[in-house]
Amino acid sequence: LMIRRPPRSTHCISSAASDVYKRQPNSAEGFRWWRRTFQYKTGMGLTPEEKHQYENDYQFILQRKQCQKCYEYRDWILKYSPTVRFMAQQISKLNGNNNGEVLPFDESKIICDVCPEWRSGGFHPDLGILICQNRIRDKWHLEDTLAHEMVHYFDNLKWQVDWLNLKHHACSEIRASSLSGECRFSQEFQRRGFGFQVAKGHQDCVKRRATLSVMGNPNCKDEKQARKVVNEVWDSCFNDTRPFDEIYR
């Protein structure tokens, strides 16, 4: 997933929305916003232009709230999640400078933004990690998503992954789904209910999610090829739990 990192000061404010607020600084606040919402829901006293403007303003307000909440969750997880803190330390060790010094983990490499596709996050080797603010349910969902993308970050630094190579991609997806916690029992039961098989539920979840991710690779023809590649690298990649000693979550 290609991601673009905007300047830090404008992470939660789009330029188009800023222009709207400059023209109508109080139109999306307090009583005026309540009145506009009432008019929109009842259809009373609202011109087509005002209706369109309300919908644009509503999307901005929603996205701004999602963005602020996403960064709030991100900062909390970076501070308190054992998994994410450990991964940040391991990434820092791999990301040293020419003098052998360990560089601190760059938190600005984790940004929140709106994603058009149905995904929770993404990783780009040059830009860093994207958290999809409009897809995150709560801070625990963000923890799983961030841990997943940090495994990709770790893999990319340690093994210089060729992300267009299907086997490379599949291996990192297997490791990320297995080690992040997104396939633990409670998560799978929440997604699939009693259709979840306890015996091999974790492995089935990892295979399913890795296959879906590989299908999005531009060099993958279809689901059949994605499943085949995942199976080919399964044993070595599933059993490789580095930098953990074992599957932690």
Side-chain angles (χ1 to χ4, degrees), residues 26-152:
N26 300 316
S27 63
E29 299 177 358
F31 178 78
R32 290 189 65 183
W33 179 250
W34 177 87
R35 178 174 57 80
R36 291 176 68 198
T37 301
F38 179 81
Q39 289 176 316
Y40 181 82
K41 290 185 176 181
T42 61
M44 297 172 58
L46 208 64
T47 66
E49 291 78 14
E50 290 172 332
K51 179 181 178 182
H52 179 70
Q53 185 61 61
Y54 174 88
E55 291 171 346
N56 287 341
D57 289 355
Y58 176 81
Q59 284 300 314
F60 165 66
I61 291 172
L62 178 63
Q63 289 178 14
R64 184 176 63 174
K65 287 181 178 179
Q66 289 173 340
C67 183
Q68 291 169 340
K69 184 62 68 175
C70 181
Y71 279 109
E72 178 186 319
Y73 288 163
R74 182 204 69 168
D75 293 344
W76 192 93
I77 292 299
L78 283 167
K79 187 174 182 180
Y80 294 111
S81 166
T83 302
V84 169
R85 284 171 58 87
F86 177 74
M87 287 302 304
Q89 292 168 1
Q90 299 305 307
I91 289 169
S92 294
K93 290 178 181 178
L94 294 174
N95 207 22
N97 60 23
N98 293 331
N99 296 324
E101 297 175 331
V102 175
L103 301 177
F105 182 76
D106 186 359
E107 297 179 1
S108 70
K109 288 285 190 178
I110 305 171
I111 64 111
C112 295
D113 208 341
V114 176
C115 299
E117 299 102 347
W118 190 258
R119 65 174 72 218
S120 300
F123 170 75
H124 189 287
D126 297 322
L127 299 177
I129 293 171
L130 169 69
I131 303 295
C132 297
Q133 65 191 45
N134 54 323
R135 306 299 184 197
I136 296 298
R137 298 186 299 272
D138 52 41
K139 69 174 63 172
W140 312 118
H141 184 203
L142 188 144
E143 181 183 27
D144 290 345
T145 300
L146 183 52
H148 178 114
E149 303 306 336
M150 291 177 90
V151 173
H152 290 324

Side-chain angles (χ1 to χ4, degrees), residues 201-225:
H202 177 81
Q203 295 187 28
D204 289 345
C205 170
V206 172
K207 282 188 176 182
R208 184 182 74 252
R209 295 177 74 85
T211 299
L212 289 171
S213 294
V214 174
M215 285 171 61
N217 191 303
N219 287 337
C220 181
K221 294 183 291 187
D222 51 29
E223 182 179 356
K224 182 179 179 181
Q225 184 184 21

